Amino acid sequence: MSPQVRTPTARVCERCDRAEHWDTTLEAWQLVREDGEKQVGNPHCLHEWDINGTFNPVVQNES
């Protein structure tokens, strides 16, 4: 079987720590909440999302 490609479901800005998760119902990124607080980071930041480090979009199917 051929490899499958997956998309990220969470991301964190490396500059300001803004945290978001992918909402499949809304089909949009939503802010993460910790203890009821939205993890907004800096609203003026040009976000550098940490999705390139350990995230691997290719998943090998087991045959």
Side-chain angles (χ1 to χ4, degrees):
M1 227 181 211
S2 64
Q4 298 295 311
V5 176
R6 65 187 176 102
T7 57
T9 57
R11 62 187 186 183
V12 177
C13 177
E14 293 180 338
R15 296 180 181 179
C16 72
D17 294 328
R18 178 186 181 102
E20 298 180 344
H21 68 92
W22 182 255
D23 186 310
T24 55
T25 304
L26 297 173
E27 295 186 346
W29 289 102
Q30 299 295 303
L31 288 169
V32 169
R33 291 180 179 263
E34 286 184 15
D35 298 326
E37 295 283 324
K38 290 181 179 179
Q39 303 302 299
V40 297
N42 179 346
H44 303 291
C45 180
L46 297 174
H47 303 298
E48 182 71 33
W49 300 114
D50 181 24
I51 59 171
N52 299 353
T54 59
F55 181 76
N56 184 358
V58 179
V59 179
Q60 293 291 340
N61 291 334
E62 306 250 345
S63 297

